[in-house]
Amino acid sequence: MKKILIFITLVAMFSGCEETEYPYVLPERYFPAYPESYWVYSNGTAVKVDPGYHKHLYYPDLGSIKQSDYVYVPRINNEYVYKYKITQNSTLFPLKILLAPTSSTAWKVDVWNGKNVMRRIENNNASVTLSSLDGAGAIVFDSVVLVVEYIADSVDLPWLYREAYALDIGLIRREINLSDTAIEPFVEKELIRYYINK
């Protein structure tokens, strides 16, 4: 009986040693993608974070066989969220950097027709007014970070997309600029309802 008890204890100890604890990468304040949080927008789109944190790694460099370390991160539509970055289903850009509030330089997010698609911070302390949030009427958000996406070396279009990120809420507005004429950019979507599950 003693031998069986010792054997069970050893098996339990060794099986417990096999499980490795990986670190958690928690969301940041301008993209608080905590599990089960959601955002609903005026154009009918909704974004919901999957329940729980998910073990993930990725290839950080193009053509490299070296992988990142495993971590636990939130997940949205099978894309893994690393603070202000999400993994891409792309061998070219393993991570798309959505937001870099401390960055004063532009960063590459994609390639289109042989030209680099870039992002940069346009303003890191803007005020943005939403027309209706949860039926409350117009609401002003301060300390908003504005990020523009544009084609590198393009003089015709100053930017293609402009996104506004509010502190502790995330994306509150996305505008599109598809013309180099006098046509004004238009609002593709505005936040109308959200829940942050901190």
Side-chain angles (χ1 to χ4, degrees):
M1 184 70 174
K2 264 187 177 179
K3 289 181 181 180
I4 293 174
L5 197 57
I6 292 171
F7 176 74
I8 291 172
T9 304
L10 288 174
V11 168
M13 283 176 44
F14 285 117
S15 64
C17 292
E18 290 175 16
E19 184 63 35
T20 304
E21 275 301 313
Y22 298 106
Y24 284 75
V25 178
L26 300 177
E28 293 283 343
R29 294 186 69 187
Y30 281 94
F31 189 42
Y34 291 95
E36 300 186 55
S37 298
Y38 65 82
W39 301 263
V40 178
Y41 295 96
S42 59
N43 67 349
T45 60
V47 176
K48 183 168 184 187
V49 185
D50 294 341
Y53 288 85
H54 305 270
K55 188 170 91 169
H56 188 58
L57 56 70
Y58 63 94
Y59 293 95
D61 298 312
L62 175 64
S64 172
I65 60 168
K66 184 179 180 199
Q67 295 177 321
S68 68
D69 294 330
Y70 274 110
V71 292
Y72 284 105
V73 293
R75 186 176 66 194
I76 300 173
N77 294 330
N78 292 319
E79 299 287 352
Y80 296 85
V81 178
Y82 289 76
K83 298 184 179 184
Y84 294 135
K85 305 172 185 178
I86 60 170
T87 56
Q88 293 283 87
N89 290 324
S90 166
T91 57
L92 188 58
F93 296 102
L95 287 180
K96 181 173 183 180
I97 304 173
L98 297 176
L99 184 61
T102 59
S103 174
S104 60
T105 60
W107 61 93
K108 184 163 73 169
V109 293
D110 208 343
V111 172
W112 182 77
N113 281 349
K115 293 186 177 181
N116 291 335
V117 178
M118 308 293 291
R119 284 187 165 222
R120 66 177 164 78
I121 302 293
E122 184 180 64
N123 188 334
N124 63 4
N125 193 22
S127 290
V128 172
T129 303
L130 296 187
S131 56
S132 180
L133 182 66
D134 280 330
I139 296 179
V140 177
F141 291 90
D142 294 317
S143 302
V144 172
V145 175
L146 298 179
V147 179
V148 291
E149 189 168 300
Y150 60 97
I151 305 294
D153 304 323
S154 173
V155 293
D156 296 332
L157 292 175
W159 53 268
L160 300 171
Y161 303 102
R162 178 188 287 140
E163 294 178 343
Y165 292 86
L167 190 64
D168 296 323
I169 297 174
L171 179 66
I172 60 171
R173 176 187 286 153
R174 181 177 166 117
E175 297 172 84
I176 299 178
N177 181 21
L178 298 178
S179 174
D180 57 356
T181 65
I183 298 173
E184 289 292 317
F186 65 93
V187 175
E188 177 196 21
K189 62 184 181 182
E190 271 192 358
L191 188 66
I192 58 172
R193 190 169 62 254
Y194 70 95
Y195 168 68
I196 307 301
N197 186 29
K198 276 189 162 181

